[in-house]
Amino acid sequence: MSLDYETLRLIWWVLLGLLLIGFAVTGGFDLGVAMWSPFLTRTNTEKRVLINCIGPTWEGNQVWFITSGGAIFAAWPTLYALSFSGFYGAMLLVLLALIVRAVGFKYRSTIDNVRWRGAWDMVIFVGGFVPALVFGVAIGNVFQGVPFYFDDQLRVFYTGTFLELFNPFSLFCGLLSLSMFAMHGAFFIQVKTVGHLKKRARIAGRIAGVLTVSLFLVGGAWVYWGVDGYVLSSPMPHDGPSNPLYKVVIREAHGWYVAVSEAPIRLLPPLFGVFSGIMAVIFARFARTSFLWSAGCVAGIVATVGSGMFPFLLPSSTTPNQSLTIWDSSSSQHTLSVMLVVTVILLPIVIAYTSWVYYVLRGKVTERSVEDSGHSAY
Amino acid sequence: MIPGTDIVDLSRLQFALTALYHFLFVPLTLGLSVILAIMEIIYVMTNRYIWRQMVQYWGVLFGINFVLGVATGLTMEFQFGTNWSYYSQYVGDVFGVPLAIEGLMSFFLEATFVGLFFFGWNKLSKIKHAICTCLLALGTNLSALWILIANGWMQNPVGAHFDFRTMRMETTSFFEVMFNPVAQAKFVHTISAGYVTGSIFVLAVSAYFLLRGRNYAFAKRSMTVAASFGLASALSVVVLGDESGYLANNNQKFKIAAIEGIWHTEKAPAGLAVFGIPNEKTQRIDYEIRIPYLLGLIATRSLDTELPGMDELVDQGKGFIRQGIKGYEALIHLQKNADDKHAQTDFMEYGPYLGYGLLLKKYTEQVTDATEEQINAAANDLKPSILPLFISFHLMVACGIFFMLLFGVGFYLSLHNKIQSTRWYLRIAFVALPLPWLASELGWVVAEYGRQPWAVQGILPTVMGVSSVNFSQVMTSLLSFIIFYTVLAVVEIYLMVKYIRLGPDGTSIA
């Protein structure tokens, strides 16, 4: 591979975005379905139907999240080191939620007892709600920048606290995140179910869809008027060694919108997100169509984080000059090349067999099919 | 400034506990997934329904175990970042790659096809479902491959160099990282250990059924598969353990010295202590039973290469540390002025020992002002703790030899159709159940505790790799893991015992 360092960094920024979008669009509806399970269902069988909609595929969907984490480690090790240790408490919360969610899915039906199942159902709900909320809160903090600095050995010191992560803007983003995953989960339920569940899911999807688009637009305005953005103010080599200590960054009002006038293409993801969300709500009666539009909305919103902040990955609110950008916190050229080759080969294969599995499992999950399956369903 | 000893110790404790806990579930996943594939292939070939029932029943037990392997694996991926962030920064360019590939190649494969394994019986043809089971097994084994390439690099850091402009290790040859002989030996040794675990599990549970006089046809066939697969695996695990020992002697001489309790260099070829209790005070092994010449043969495959003892290695270490100080000094100059020719040549010569220089960070932040006392102390830090390593190693090997015998006898009895009626053997097979878990965990103690004080051998001391977080954060996560993991372990064991007692007849499977 003889791609230059600058191109490799750009490609890996895009790939990271694709992996995160992949998680949001697949694992996202799993989180949404888990959140809806106490609210959309009236009987235990309906609950089983809901959980079995995602039963066979939640584990594969979760791997988009795991692989995103691995990709951050491999392609952006400084970002991995800083964000995972800096957001220590939030990471712990998400991790514990995902652990118990996994066990909840698997162990739910191992004992035929209402209290046993009820307990695990609460766990599954928490396992959907907590990650959905925390992801939004994390992104909200990323936009504002977080307090950290490096010493000259590039050891990072994060100087914020756990509670500081929960501020008005980040909580707002958490709300948006919850709404987005709820919308997507509801539209997925519509595809996989029949009868009353399907009707309730449609209504839920419509409401969540309107909420998502509205919150997203409000969020955009908030970022313009209420969040100081970061702007690169020194020329930066795009193919230099990865060391975040050698640039100048200023923090200013409307900072995140400064680059938009120079590169209006940055508006494409958010516009696509808003448009798709509206389409999903309008065409809610058509299950597959609205689900695809919902996926587009989720993709658009997640992509907006990248396009809005480019080339920043994680700004520092206390030492803006040491913010992480894609030009100075990537892995080496050799590593990015190797990872690119591996990804170009493996990712299409993954998508191919994942699609095949969804095809095999196509069709509705009905009360009858769940009751007939005994222990081989959840 | 590196984090204080309290944070280092707590972080190490947390990583050890979560890793050992994760490895309670992994070996069974590795072995049982392959056994499931074997049984299902037999089903497809013979079309005998009982084999399908076997796959489904052992599959239920597999599922109870598998989900905890996945859940506790999440913790490991997070933990490099949360608690070892300087390590992640320093070696992530190299180390992150096999982890990412593990996700892309293995996790996707196993997580996707495990869904079809459980949910696809009625939606797929016999052959298609069997292929799913094989892909599930392949996924778990590939996962072991990539994580052991990562760990293998920690033990023998090939294919990378230190870049002073980015202050981290960077990959020079991914090919070397992937085909690191230490990684390859560890991989085959570890999956063999997994296969032994899966085999003993099936053997022991089947023995339980036979002792109770139930599920005769089911248990007999399962035992036959377990005994044959187990025999091959046990032989493999012992041979490859030997290979690991040989390779470790290249660059981890302290580890070899510790597991064998060699304080002082012996005349070649060194003898092997089969039994004994190391005495740190007298630097001798009490109650030793020794086979002369055997260790020399195993570790060096020669009759005249000496195996250095701890004291000789510590002296050698002092020399490395002094060169490391020079390397560190050259690095400081290069950071101030990258074109400093003098510093460049110095770094060429002494840079490879930079890691040894970093051992002094525990005593002095500046490194270049280290006193003779501090250098001695750092050199003595190179000695891993002998007693736990000696005992772990010997106990693990003893288990390995026992497994070979157990499966050998079982294989023989199976061939002669006597396994179902040889009750003394069935009883031994049943009580042998915990042993593969014991051996696996001891093996990891040898691998990782024997690697101390290094996070990456010769490159990064453990004490430097820790995140700069505070004590209460690590205490919170540690306590959370202890609480959550204990509850999950109780639930898992309860479910396992319940479904073993129910047996194939009591478990309703579609």
Side-chain angles (χ1 to χ4, degrees), chain B residues 31 83 164-165 176 187 210 246 283 321 407 449 471 486 503:
Chain B
N83 292 83
F164 72 88
R165 296 165 306 167
E176 273 186 56
F187 167 60
L210 288 174
Y246 172 65
Q283 297 197 333
I321 292 173
F407 287 122
Y449 203 39
F471 187 81
T486 307

Side-chain angles (χ1 to χ4, degrees), chain A residues 132-138 140 168-179:
Chain A
L133 174 67
V134 173
F135 290 148
V137 169
F169 180 70
S170 72
L171 285 170
F172 178 82
C173 291
L175 193 60
L176 170 59
S177 176
L178 283 171
S179 171

Side-chain angles (χ1 to χ4, degrees), chain A residues 80 88 107 110 155 332 335, chain B residues 64 77 93 464 477 499 508:
Chain A
Y80 175 80
Y88 196 87
Y107 287 0
T110 50
R155 174 181 289 272
S332 62
T335 293
Chain B
I64 295 172
E77 183 183 87
D93 190 276
M464 280 193 69
S477 54
Y499 278 91
S508 69

